[in-house]
Amino acid sequence: MIRKLLLAVAALVACMGMAFAQVDVNKADQAALDSVKGIGPAKSKAIMAERAKGEFKDWADLEQRVKGIGEKNAMKLSEAGLMVNGKSREGAAPARKEAARK
């Protein structure tokens, strides 16, 4: 009984760690991109297609190359935990703890 309880707690802690993770657009797989609030399967597919042509240099490059990601949307995605080359979008509020939850 105690083993099951410890296993459940360990699994919960592991899942929470993943839910709060920052996601770098140049390193993430499609599932990780989908975990960011505001990015669905269509948007993550578009990001992956553009990234296949070359990594994103900065937020401006991401906004220019991926249809549907403009300044406002980029701010929201940054606040939700998305990063470009390890950097949040300038002017965006720090990522919230529930960043990667949908």
Side-chain angles (χ1 to χ4, degrees):
M1 176 70 176
I2 291 179
R3 285 185 182 182
K4 288 181 182 180
L5 180 61
L6 289 174
L7 182 60
V9 170
L12 179 64
V13 169
C15 290
M16 287 174 51
M18 285 186 248
F20 300 146
Q22 298 286 315
V23 177
D24 193 304
V25 74
N26 285 322
K27 297 175 184 171
D29 60 8
Q30 192 165 353
L33 290 171
D34 284 343
S35 73
V36 176
K37 183 178 180 183
I39 296 181
K43 186 72 65 201
S44 63
K45 188 175 181 179
I47 291 170
M48 297 294 285
E50 280 299 320
R51 190 175 76 189
K53 299 174 186 176
E55 288 193 351
F56 298 101
K57 296 174 188 153
D58 53 25
W59 277 95
D61 188 31
L62 176 69
E63 292 170 30
Q64 182 180 15
R65 291 170 49 192
V66 180
K67 184 178 179 181
I69 298 182
E71 185 178 342
K72 281 177 116 178
N73 198 344
M75 290 289 225
K76 289 178 185 177
L77 294 174
S78 181
E79 290 170 0
L82 190 68
M83 298 186 308
V84 178
N85 291 325
K87 297 179 182 176
S88 297
R89 187 166 190 309
E90 191 173 312
R96 296 175 291 233
K97 286 201 174 191
E98 67 239 347
R101 292 186 183 174
K102 280 196 164 190

